[in-house]
Amino acid sequence: GNSVTQMEGPVTLSEEAFLTINCTYTATGYPSLFWYVQYPGEGLQLLLKATKADDKGSNKGFEATYRKETTSFHLEKGSVQVSDSAVYFCALSRSGYALNFGKGTSLLVTP
Amino acid sequence: DSGVTQTPKHLITATGQRVTLRCSPRSGDLSVYWYQQSLDQGLQFLIQYYNGEERAKGNILERFSAQQFPDLHSELNLSSLELGDSALYFCASSRSGGDVKNIQYFGAGTRLSVL
């Protein structure tokens, strides 16, 4: 079936450090891939998406590239801020109906 | 603000009881999705409605049911509640359904505590 695996957290970084959160997926065909972010006490917000191989999604300094050959969609940011502290979810949509989510990676950025 | 409204924000009830969670989608969105977020299971898709009709079903228990009304708001009914049903329940909405490029917009969730 369709599934998403992302790195376990929590991840703790100092402000201005480089961030990578790994995400790999298993799916037939050509899913769309998403990163959602959940700030404390809030719902999920779409951070970025990619709908076909080699697409790069980007938003607020975050980037992720859809790599079909490695079935990956790793999230990166060059310089994190304290305000980036949140839980990050990788997700795929194969059918256009359900989103299949990874377990989430908690990020804490310290000043 | 995503434009998706969920009520109530918090719900505390006892085992064996029944509760109803409500969701109003973004203006113009025809699809509504329900997800359950728990510590052990993570985020799991429960069910989707499109323009009043059930479109897709996930890991939804038989004790749970949902519907989407003509004004497109949706309700998730949870009955014979058990301790393990304690979780955060999210509603999401999208313009359409069945398109892999579909973006789902999430509400802030309803936190259910079963005591």
Side-chain angles (χ1 to χ4, degrees), chain B residues 42-62:
Chain B
L43 260 165
Q44 292 215 11
F45 168 71
L46 296 178
I47 198 164
Q48 181 211 359
Y49 278 80
Y50 175 77
N51 204 20
E53 301 284 332
E54 182 184 304
R55 183 60 70 91
K57 226 168 184 176
N59 298 322
I60 188 166
L61 300 171
E62 284 193 13

Side-chain angles (χ1 to χ4, degrees), chain B residues 58-111:
Chain B
N59 298 322
I60 188 166
L61 300 171
E62 284 193 13
R63 300 183 285 109
F64 295 2
S65 65
Q67 53 184 324
Q68 186 179 27
F69 294 85
D71 67 352
L72 301 177
H73 90 272
S74 177
E75 293 180 357
L76 179 66
N77 300 296
L78 315 176
S79 61
S80 303
L81 285 168
E82 302 174 0
L83 295 177
D85 298 327
S86 296
L88 197 48
Y89 290 85
F90 285 112
C91 169
S93 74
S94 68
R95 284 280 181 266
S96 62
D99 179 354
V100 292
K101 300 177 187 175
N102 229 2
I103 294 175
Q104 295 183 25
Y105 295 88
F106 283 75
T110 293
R111 182 169 295 283

Side-chain angles (χ1 to χ4, degrees), chain A residues 9-65:
Chain A
V11 173
T12 303
L13 294 173
S14 298
E15 205 164 22
E16 298 183 3
F18 185 85
L19 168 71
T20 299
I21 300 177
N22 291 335
C23 170
T24 56
Y25 68 90
T26 301
T28 55
Y30 303 95
S32 288
L33 301 173
F34 305 84
W35 277 100
Y36 278 83
V37 58
Q38 184 178 26
Y39 297 102
E42 297 184 15
L44 286 82
Q45 299 176 24
L46 178 67
L47 184 57
L48 52 84
K49 72 180 179 86
T51 58
K52 61 183 189 296
D54 300 324
D55 262 3
K56 178 186 279 189
S58 61
N59 185 25
K60 299 181 183 179
F62 290 91
E63 292 183 341
T65 301

Side-chain angles (χ1 to χ4, degrees), chain A:
Chain A
N2 303 319
S3 66
V4 173
T5 302
Q6 58 182 109
M7 60 188 286
E8 298 276 335
V11 173
T12 303
L13 294 173
S14 298
E15 205 164 22
E16 298 183 3
F18 185 85
L19 168 71
T20 299
I21 300 177
N22 291 335
C23 170
T24 56
Y25 68 90
T26 301
T28 55
Y30 303 95
S32 288
L33 301 173
F34 305 84
W35 277 100
Y36 278 83
V37 58
Q38 184 178 26
Y39 297 102
E42 297 184 15
L44 286 82
Q45 299 176 24
L46 178 67
L47 184 57
L48 52 84
K49 72 180 179 86
T51 58
K52 61 183 189 296
D54 300 324
D55 262 3
K56 178 186 279 189
S58 61
N59 185 25
K60 299 181 183 179
F62 290 91
E63 292 183 341
T65 301
Y66 188 145
R67 301 280 188 207
K68 191 155 179 64
E69 63 277 13
T70 54
T71 61
S72 65
F73 192 54
H74 304 322
L75 182 68
E76 296 182 337
K77 187 175 185 183
S79 176
V80 293
Q81 305 301 311
V82 172
S83 57
D84 293 326
S85 298
V87 181
Y88 293 81
F89 292 91
C90 185
L92 72 82
S93 175
R94 173 67 188 92
S95 64
Y97 302 120
L99 282 170
N100 294 95
F101 285 93
K103 290 200 176 293
T105 302
S106 175
L107 170 66
L108 176 63
V109 180
T110 57

